[in-house]
Amino acid sequence: MLATEWTPGDVTASGYAYVVKRVARGRPLSEAVELYRGQKSDVATAPSVLHDGQGRSLTLIVQALDFFHSRTLVLGKDGKPRELKIPQKVSVAGLVAGQVVFSLDEAWGTCLPAPSQRRLSTT
C-alpha cells in the first residue's frame, strides 16, 4: 500500500497524500488500485501494517482529519476498508499477541480515562 501524490497537485492543503492505493510488486504505479480516498481538507491519509510476534498482522489506514483527530480503518480480508468505532482522539499503538493496543488521548466512555492504553483482541 502506498499514499503519495498520484497526480500533480493531488495532495491535501497541508501538502500530504490523501489517496491510498495497493501497489503490486514489480508492476508500474500506473496499475495501482485505489483502496481509500480521504479528503483534500484533511491533514493526510496514510496506510500502515502492524505485526505481532506470532506472525499476525493488521492493516490500517489512518485519515488525519486535523492534527488532533483521526479516523482509523482496518483493511478487511476482502480488501475493503472498515472504520474502527473508536473515538477520534484514540489511536492504534500496536499489535501484541493478537491484541490491538490503543492509546487514549481522551476518555473512551465513562470507564476508560485518558491518557491511558488499552487492548482489544483481534479474534
Side-chain angles (χ1 to χ4, degrees):
M1 289 186 306
L2 178 65
T4 189
E5 183 178 4
W6 294 99
T7 57
D10 202 13
V11 293
T12 66
S14 298
Y16 297 104
Y18 70 99
V19 179
V20 177
K21 295 185 180 186
R22 182 187 313 277
V23 180
R25 189 180 307 270
R27 304 300 306 164
L29 291 179
S30 61
E31 293 181 8
V33 176
E34 186 172 314
L35 296 174
Y36 186 77
R37 178 176 293 263
Q39 303 292 318
K40 276 187 137 325
S41 59
D42 295 335
V43 171
T45 300
S48 66
V49 179
L50 303 175
H51 300 276
D52 70 8
Q54 291 73 37
R56 290 178 286 250
S57 63
L58 182 65
T59 304
L60 302 171
I61 297 173
V62 177
Q63 179 183 3
L65 305 172
D66 57 35
F67 288 101
F68 304 102
H69 301 88
S70 62
R71 293 178 65 212
T72 303
L73 301 102
V74 173
L75 200 62
K77 292 181 182 183
D78 60 1
K80 295 181 181 178
R82 290 179 178 79
E83 185 174 359
L84 283 179
K85 299 300 180 190
I86 59 176
Q88 290 182 347
K89 289 184 79 175
V90 172
S91 56
V92 176
L95 185 64
V96 178
Q99 305 261 327
V100 179
V101 179
F102 295 96
S103 177
L104 284 62
D105 295 321
E106 71 179 3
W108 188 347
T110 58
C111 61
L112 297 176
S116 63
Q117 289 192 338
R118 296 291 186 247
R119 64 184 187 173
L120 175 69
S121 177
T122 60
T123 56

